[in-house]
Amino acid sequence: MTVQEPNSFRLGPDEEGRFGQFGGRFVAETLMPLILDLEKAYEDAKRDKSFQREMENLWRYYVGRPSPLYFASRLTEKLGGAKIYLKRDELNHTGAHKINNVLGQILLARRMGKTRIIAETGAGQHGVATATVCAKFGLKCVVFMGETDVERQKPNVFRMKLLGAEIIPVTSGRGTLKDAMNEALRDWVTNVEDTFYCIGTVAGPHPYPAMVRDFQSIIGWETKSQMKHAEGRLPDTICACIGGGSNAMGLFHPFLDDADVKIIGVEAGGKGVDTKEHAASLTGGRPGVLHGNRTYLLQDDDGQIIDAHSISAGLDYPGIGPEHSWLKDAGRAEYVSVTDTEALEAFQLCCEMEGIIPALEPAHALAHVMKIAPDLPNDHLLVLNMCGRGDKDIFTVAEALGTEI
Amino acid sequence: MSRIQQRFEKLKDENRAAFVSFVMGGDPNPTASLKLLKSLPAAGVDVIEIGMPFTDPMADGPSIQVAGQRALASGQTMAKTLKLVTDFRKDDAETPVVLMGYYNPIFSYGVDAFLKAANDAGVDGLIVVDLPPEEDAELCIPAREAGLDFIRLATPTTDEKRLEKVLTNTSGFVYYVSVNGITGVKSADADAVDSAVARIKAKTDLPVVVGFGVKTPEQAAEIAKQADGVVVGSAIVDIIAGKLDKKGGAKVGLVKNVSTFAKSLADAVHTARDA
């Protein structure tokens, strides 16, 4: 299939919520009026300067933006090639990029008069961010979390409880992130009047993929101006990990039309994409329809969804945001995968060389950087999105390394 | 005239509502599933909905979720669900059969291949929960062109303006989802259902069938006074769940229990307007 190159990669989605064949609005009729209302409310908010100002104010004084673009000198020296910069979104309040999007959606929920916020969470970072912002605004918060994840992310479960959220362990299906998302959708069709569904990634029915991307794009815009300030030009390569793909989309989107900037998304290869235990939907999946959109999915020959596997709970999702699927097919971004083992090595290297404990999610992106940086010239500017801190992961890492805490 | 249309016209002449029953294809296993299906017309079922199992049924409550998991665990595939209809049709050329489920297994099978196979098997209509009118080009329009009815859901959130959009490409009948929610959990309020049915009937000549949350013969009879049909799914599926051995196999009496319950529902629906 030849893909005709569009004039701009930044114009999507179209009015039907499509990025090429991907995206769309594949939801039950009960939800259709709700997502149409949401789309309208979001379009209004986008044009409202007071909405933008309120968000910028909270980003600055509540979240701590802009996050620094930090030159990782020892990592650079160690790898011996490209100049490595880390976009420090792990320094945000709540420790990850997730809050960028949550703030936007909660402000929107308030504009729409919604009083009850529901969210799904895998690693718990999106759940914590949602619980945090709900506490700040006095909104009721209900978080759906697969019971497998409740078990492996206990610190985040307790954090959410401290913040006043109700946690509902999801036992349906296999009790993972995709099942938590199913359960959140089931809650939403049941509580249509007062409830706002705050989706944590660039997936779901239109307008979610575009809306979440817009809220996360602050990462890319800041990177652009910070790199110009630091080096006087744009980066040569930008790289981010991908589960659903929100931190990556946020970094990538402002750079899509800068043809000289190479864009790399790193999926979770689990125990290897040639095994059945991985979460690499783009590398190891094919297009299908799940959770309201068409995108690359891990599925069997009969169109049944296959559970993902990754050492990182935040990447453990059998789908991916539809815009990434489109960028892959259009050839604008390159998508690769790294294994659990490679991510663990990168995790340790980052701790030792930079004094930064990364989340296992961006450790995947770093693992890929470790592969490519040594062969790149010394003036090659490479940005890695350090989208989350690793405090939540120390138990998982300890177990993987065979250490007792 | 299609089987669905024939059936509703006949019932209209008799001043009766239709009893529509849902069972999951392949639940609890292919053999028992076929026996169950074959028992339904004699129990008084007017239209049979067969679920196409899917791993991620986002509009279904626990009963139907688990029924789908049982079917998948026993090896059910789209090809086997279609074969089930073929086998059912060997002895029954009249009872309308509607396949109900989610889009991905159909998309994966290939829309054109699926429509051809469904036609060949003797399927009459489709209900695909996650295809709203906004996505009509995907399956609805190709299905209509292939001669299959595409039955759309209308819900309490479907307002007047949207209702027209929902009805535009709908055929066979309109399925009114009586509650905001998932299958088999909340129960509908009969008065609210009556006014919704009247609202839809004012805009279409198609039969209006009511489902989601109808569990007992009494509830079914109440709805059958106004609506053109009543769907019961989860309550039937629960009877199946109650007649399984530890390995998930069918216990003796499974088919009899289901058909007895289906008959009680069918009788209630068929006599609802007699008094």
Side-chain angles (χ1 to χ4, degrees), chain A residues 16 18 21 24-30 32-34 36 172-173 178-179 182-183 185-186 189-190 192 286-291 294 297 299-305, chain B residues 53-60 65 69 72 76-79 103-105 107-108 129-135 138 153-155 157-158 162 166 177 180-182 186:
Chain A
E16 307 301 318
R18 298 289 183 116
Q21 66 155 319
R25 289 180 283 219
F26 297 88
V27 294
E29 171 60 22
T30 314
M32 241 354 266
L34 279 71
L36 292 172
S172 65
K178 83 172 172 73
D179 303 299
N182 288 329
E183 214 54 37
L185 286 163
R186 290 178 188 126
V189 297
T190 309
V192 297
R286 63 190 169 92
V289 173
L290 179 71
H291 294 152
R294 172 155 40 226
L297 297 174
Q299 55 185 320
D300 69 13
D301 292 342
D302 203 43
Q304 306 295 340
I305 308 305
Chain B
F54 182 46
T55 40
D56 294 78
M58 64 179 181
D60 284 303
Q65 288 172 31
Q69 286 173 3
L72 291 173
Q76 192 71 3
T77 59
M78 184 61 88
Y103 186 40
N104 198 52
F107 180 70
S108 173
V129 179
D130 52 355
L131 286 177
E134 280 74 4
E135 303 292 352
E138 293 281 337
L153 307 178
T155 71
T157 58
T158 311
R162 232 189 119 67
V166 165
V177 175
N180 283 329
I182 51 180
K186 288 201 274 191

Side-chain angles (χ1 to χ4, degrees), chain B residues 3 5 9 25 59 67 114 133 148 153 178-179 185 208 217 222 224 249 273:
Chain B
R3 282 192 199 99
Q5 208 178 347
E9 300 235 330
F114 170 78
L148 288 170
L153 307 178
S178 63
V179 292
V185 179
V208 179
E222 198 56 40
R273 297 180 194 165

Side-chain angles (χ1 to χ4, degrees), chain A residues 111-146:
Chain A
R111 277 170 79 95
M112 296 175 76
K114 305 287 183 182
T115 53
R116 179 174 176 270
I117 308 297
I118 58 170
E120 82 295 333
T121 198
Q125 291 304 102
H126 175 59
V128 167
T130 307
T132 298
V133 181
C134 285
K136 180 184 159 40
F137 286 110
L139 296 165
K140 182 171 171 50
C141 178
V142 179
V143 178
F144 294 88
M145 189 168 186

Side-chain angles (χ1 to χ4, degrees), chain A residues 199-253:
Chain A
I199 294 184
T201 191
V202 286
H206 179 64
Y208 282 100
M211 179 173 70
V212 176
R213 171 202 72 200
D214 293 347
F215 291 142
Q216 291 293 2
S217 291
I218 186 71
I219 300 172
W221 291 118
E222 284 177 6
T223 302
K224 231 174 179 176
S225 79
Q226 288 167 326
M227 188 56 100
K228 276 186 184 158
H229 183 76
E231 299 275 358
R233 64 182 181 94
L234 292 178
D236 298 297
T237 299
I238 57 177
C239 179
C241 64
I242 299 195
S246 72
N247 90 83
M249 209 61 240
L251 175 65
F252 296 171
H253 197 256

